[in-house]
């Protein structure tokens, strides 16, 4: 028993469950029952105490909280949950953004924070073959270095590295991210079947134009 664990002799709560889910299953798709059993078992093995909740399982609540925040997803409300490879809004996850050799295609704006767009090249190639000018792109925000943030999200076993199509520097990253995403949602471009909530059928040039229309001269 590890009495040095920070949750030693603490009852399992949704907050603790979230951290264990991320630790155990980041970047994986796992059945809900396995997540529940492994989280409960790991917490007890580390000297934690069972949940005091009489009705709602804290692991289930943690999964729903993570889904609401775009850090987990269960496509078509199935029992299989995809857990994001990152939970943070900043770039403290990975100290080496060059590990994936990420080089932005374009950087605009000014400020210490960022809104970024990245995509996987296969999505763009398929769109071009079909004569389309938009494809699945991830739009997110970073408090500090966006390349570290992107690296933390995409360093799992994937067939290709992402392309960072656009970085917009700003001092109002939450407002800018929300505005861009909401405009795309109003245009019906939100990709609702993707893991997380930040994927849109768009392009770097389209998002750049939204920025110019709404922020460039403000």
């Amino acid at each position: 028993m590890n009495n040095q664990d920070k949750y030693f002799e603490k009852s399992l709560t949704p907050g603790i469950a979230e951290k264990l889910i991320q630790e155990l299953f980041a970047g994986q798709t796992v059945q809900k029952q396995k997540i529940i059993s492994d989280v409960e078992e790991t917490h007890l093995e580390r000297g934690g105490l069972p949940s005091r909740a009489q009705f709602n399982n804290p692991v289930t609540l943690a999964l729903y909280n993570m889904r609401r925040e775009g850090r987990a997803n269960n496509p078509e409300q199935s029992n299989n949950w995809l857990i994001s490879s990152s939970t943070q809004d900043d770039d403290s996850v990975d100290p080496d953004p060059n590990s994936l050799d990420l080089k932005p295609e374009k950087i605009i704006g000014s400020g210490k924070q960022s809104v970024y767009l990245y995509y996987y090249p296969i999505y763009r190639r398929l769109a071009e073959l079909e004569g389309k000018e938009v494809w699945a792109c991830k739009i997110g925000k970073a408090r500090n270095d966006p390349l570290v943030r992107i690296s933390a999200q995409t360093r799992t076993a994937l067939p290709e590295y992402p392309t960072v199509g656009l970085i917009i520097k700003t001092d109002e990253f939450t407002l800018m991210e929300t505005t861009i995403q909401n405009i795309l949602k109003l245009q019906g471009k939100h990709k609702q079947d993707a893991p997380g909530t930040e994927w849109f059928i768009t392009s770097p040039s389209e998002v750049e134009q939204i920025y110019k229309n709404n922020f460039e001269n403000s």
Side-chain angles (χ1 to χ4, degrees):
M1 183 177 295
N2 180 15
N3 59 8
Q4 299 301 314
D5 190 271
K6 59 182 177 180
Y7 302 127
F8 180 71
E9 293 188 346
K10 292 185 178 180
S11 299
L12 182 62
T13 64
I16 295 175
E18 284 188 32
K19 293 179 172 59
L20 289 174
I21 290 169
Q22 190 67 34
E23 175 187 339
L24 297 171
F25 303 111
Q28 301 180 45
T29 299
V30 192
Q31 287 189 341
K32 178 181 176 181
Q33 191 53 50
K34 177 172 175 57
I35 295 175
I36 292 175
S37 61
D38 284 11
V39 166
E40 291 177 341
E41 181 178 340
T42 300
H43 185 61
L44 293 176
E45 285 178 350
R46 295 179 179 180
L49 301 176
S51 169
R52 296 179 180 177
Q54 297 181 354
F55 302 104
N56 296 318
N57 185 290
V59 182
T60 298
L61 291 176
L63 285 170
Y64 291 151
N65 289 339
M66 294 172 72
R67 183 177 65 184
R68 185 176 62 252
E69 296 171 1
R71 297 185 287 117
N73 189 37
N74 60 324
E76 299 180 355
Q77 308 300 308
S78 69
N79 283 323
N80 292 322
W81 285 76
L82 190 153
I83 308 302
S84 170
S85 59
S86 174
T87 64
Q88 301 186 29
D89 284 334
D90 57 31
D91 44 305
S92 61
V93 178
D94 188 343
D96 184 13
N98 296 318
S99 61
L100 294 184
D101 194 27
L102 299 177
K103 296 178 180 179
E105 293 183 322
K106 192 169 188 179
I107 301 176
I108 58 177
S110 62
K112 297 180 180 180
Q113 304 164 350
S114 302
V115 171
Y116 58 80
L117 177 152
Y118 71 79
Y119 60 87
Y120 292 100
I122 183 62
Y123 295 156
R124 181 170 186 168
R125 290 194 294 270
L126 289 173
E128 290 174 344
L129 286 173
E130 296 175 356
K132 299 177 180 178
E133 297 181 351
V134 292
W135 56 90
C137 299
K138 170 73 177 286
I139 299 171
K141 66 180 186 291
R143 187 177 302 279
N144 297 306
D145 188 339
L147 298 183
V148 176
R149 173 72 171 149
I150 295 169
S151 176
Q153 293 180 1
T154 60
R155 59 184 174 180
T156 53
L158 295 168
E160 60 180 352
Y161 293 152
T163 295
V164 182
L166 181 66
I167 289 177
I168 306 174
K169 306 299 291 184
T170 178
D171 288 319
E172 298 181 330
F173 70 149
T174 298
L175 173 63
M176 184 176 292
E177 179 202 43
T178 301
T179 300
I180 292 172
Q181 290 183 354
N182 284 342
I183 289 173
L184 291 170
K185 287 177 181 178
L186 288 172
Q187 295 174 349
K189 297 188 175 185
H190 186 212
K191 188 171 174 56
Q192 297 182 348
D193 59 346
T197 60
E198 299 181 331
W199 286 90
F200 299 85
I201 303 301
T202 184
S203 68
S205 61
E206 189 172 69
V207 170
E208 180 179 354
Q209 190 60 50
I210 293 174
Y211 160 76
K212 289 181 178 179
N213 292 342
N214 293 274
F215 292 97
E216 192 170 48
N217 297 319
S218 60

